[in-house]
Amino acid sequence: MATFITLASVTDQGARNVKDSPQRFEAFKSLAESLGVTVKSVHWTQGAYDIVLVTEGPEEAQMTLALKTAALGNVRTQTLRGYSITEMRKLIATV
């Protein structure tokens, strides 16, 4: 299953309702699961990004999840495809 790392920044709207952040995450997790995406970890962070998520699932489901999340307006995200060491070994074997 493909792994994705999402870096999220809270918008002004999300900041106004920051107390709801844990509940919004639970709703996000439920939506992700309904789409076939597993949330492996979530971390609220300090620095350039406010939340870091690690998820696994099909690309199409990840894209649907990203679009539905963006439409809510509480966070802006940047999602990166992550590769395990096993996946990297397979990829570099063809180089």
Side-chain angles (χ1 to χ4, degrees):
M1 198 60 56
T3 300
F4 293 84
I5 296 101
T6 300
L7 308 171
S9 297
V10 175
T11 63
D12 289 343
Q13 174 182 306
R16 281 191 298 276
N17 301 304
V18 72
K19 290 181 181 182
D20 298 334
S21 185
Q23 292 87 346
R24 284 197 307 264
F25 167 71
E26 291 298 336
F28 170 86
K29 186 175 178 183
S30 293
L31 175 60
E33 290 170 355
S34 76
L35 295 170
V37 174
T38 301
V39 177
K40 302 301 277 184
S41 67
V42 61
H43 307 274
W44 282 263
T45 57
Q46 295 176 314
Y49 296 95
D50 301 307
I51 302 168
V52 176
L53 292 151
V54 178
T55 57
E56 289 182 349
E59 276 190 48
E60 294 82 7
Q62 294 276 2
M63 184 62 171
T64 301
L65 181 60
L67 292 171
K68 287 181 177 239
T69 301
L72 297 173
N74 294 302
V75 293
R76 295 288 172 247
T77 62
Q78 181 177 5
T79 301
L80 312 163
R81 172 66 164 91
Y83 294 88
S84 68
I85 191 165
T86 303
E87 292 169 317
M88 277 306 295
R89 284 188 173 129
K90 287 179 184 177
L91 289 168
I92 61 176
T94 62
V95 175

